[in-house]
Amino acid sequence: MKVTESYDGAIQRTIYTPQEIAAAIERLAARIASDFRGQPLLLLGVLKGALYVVSDLARAIARTSDGPSEVIVDYLCVSSYGNETRSSGEVRLLKDASESVTGRNVVIVEDIIDNGLTLEYLRALLDERKPAVLRSCVLFDKPYRRRVDIPLDYVGLECPDEFVVGYGLDYQELFRNLPSLAQLQPWVFHS
Ligand code: PRP
């Protein structure tokens, strides 16, 4: 696909503005900061999609007045969608975390949950390593096609049953840097 002009012509509608996303991040940060007040916290972002969520969330937690004693940010990288709009159902670990999670307070940070297989895979992987606490934070919850019942501790915004891009989410690696969450024009998928 070629996007030769700006992203504007490719966007059918904005679902959440950057301001609405920022407000949701602040709410998530307040809850996480309160739950881990005075304790060390490891935020584990799931790349690539969570690149903005985890960086904005970490800084929002730092702005809270009485939060964790320390926040460490780490990443792992998985993929299940490849270049498709539907999940393959097979989750692949492309890069593991650098930090040990054993005995630590860990919050997995995801941009979106759809069928839930990615988070199920990650929770199982990390549970085996015996963290002290393992929680899940998801900015966009798409509950319509869930295939597994996954506990979500922190949820930001409900996402409609559409293929969405922006704020970390891509279509064929494009649109991740769109500051809003948006639905694409149908022509984008055929070009
Ligand atoms: C997306 C998203 C989640 C996962 C959620 O990742 O970032 O990790 O899909 O989908 P699920 O609940 O249906 O499993 P993707 O595989 O597209 O990789 P990316 O983050 O690198 O874009």
Side-chain angles (χ1 to χ4, degrees):
M1 192 200 84
K2 289 181 187 155
V3 176
T4 50
E5 300 167 1
S6 72
Y7 282 166
D8 286 351
I11 304 305
Q12 184 169 72
R13 74 179 174 112
T14 295
I15 295 165
Y16 289 114
T17 65
Q19 293 74 20
E20 289 169 326
I21 294 171
I25 296 271
E26 293 290 332
R27 290 194 295 272
L28 290 171
R31 289 190 48 209
I32 293 170
S34 162
D35 287 357
F36 292 95
R37 181 172 296 139
Q39 302 173 58
L41 176 63
L42 174 60
L43 290 179
L44 200 48
V46 184
L47 294 178
K48 295 180 187 173
L51 82 167
Y52 300 118
V53 190
V54 73
S55 58
D56 286 349
L57 185 65
R59 288 176 296 176
I61 291 171
R63 288 193 294 272
T64 59
S65 54
D66 195 14
S69 56
E70 63 179 43
V71 175
I72 289 177
V73 179
D74 194 14
Y75 298 91
L76 43 72
C77 188
V78 296
S79 182
S80 61
Y81 281 68
N83 275 340
E84 306 303 320
T85 57
R86 285 282 172 93
S87 169
S88 64
E90 181 194 341
V91 184
R92 290 183 301 141
L93 181 65
L94 303 182
K95 181 202 166 294
D96 206 340
S98 310
E99 294 286 324
S100 166
V101 303
T102 306
R104 295 170 84 172
N105 301 321
V106 180
V107 175
I108 304 170
V109 182
E110 267 283 25
D111 51 336
I112 192 165
I113 179 168
D114 187 359
N115 63 35
L117 293 175
T118 304
L119 207 45
E120 179 188 52
Y121 169 88
L122 288 172
R123 288 197 66 105
L125 179 83
L126 297 171
D127 250 338
E128 277 180 14
R129 301 176 185 178
K130 308 279 179 236
V133 172
L134 182 62
R135 294 199 180 154
S136 307
C137 173
V138 172
L139 178 58
F140 301 116
D141 180 17
K142 212 184 205 185
Y144 315 96
R145 268 186 279 272
R146 201 78 98 239
R147 285 165 60 180
V148 283
D149 189 20
I150 284 290
L152 296 179
D153 303 288
Y154 309 102
V155 178
L157 297 162
E158 181 152 333
C159 181
D161 191 14
E162 309 286 350
F163 185 80
V164 292
V165 296
Y167 200 73
L169 287 101
D170 73 306
Y171 173 61
Q172 298 193 341
E173 293 300 325
L174 293 169
F175 304 104
R176 285 194 202 276
N177 64 336
L178 190 72
S180 53
L181 187 78
Q183 187 183 350
L184 292 172
Q185 297 280 8
W187 65 258
V188 175
F189 302 105
H190 306 300
S191 52

